[in-house]
Amino acid sequence: MSPEIRSHLSEDAQRLFIANYNSELAQSGDESKAEHHAWDIVREQFEQDENGIWSTSKMTV
């Protein structure tokens, strides 16, 4: 994971990003698609704080 991406993700969000990136990369072989997919999952499950860090888990009802 690049330092630019890492700097915007909490540890939990980093783990989620890496898992989804690797899964999509294994399926598609496309790094760009894998990164896009991983960000989509992070945005679905986390919220950005005031510092731009994706760290707060979204509440699920």
Side-chain angles (χ1 to χ4, degrees), residues 16-42:
L16 181 70
F17 184 96
I18 290 169
N20 284 282
Y21 177 90
N22 289 338
S23 175
E24 182 63 31
L25 184 60
Q27 290 179 17
S28 70
D30 183 331
E31 291 180 8
S32 178
K33 184 176 178 181
E35 185 175 329
H36 186 343
H37 173 73
W39 272 115
D40 286 346
I41 300 298
V42 167

Side-chain angles (χ1 to χ4, degrees), residues 1-19 21 35 38-43 46-49 51-56:
M1 177 183 313
S2 73
E4 294 82 21
I5 292 173
R6 185 183 313 268
S7 69
H8 292 284
L9 300 172
S10 67
E11 287 186 32
D12 289 339
Q14 286 180 33
R15 283 190 287 275
L16 181 70
F17 184 96
I18 290 169
Y21 177 90
E35 185 175 329
W39 272 115
D40 286 346
I41 300 298
V42 167
R43 288 183 187 108
F46 290 87
E47 292 180 356
Q48 230 175 354
D49 67 15
N51 298 316
I53 306 299
W54 292 88
S55 60
T56 307

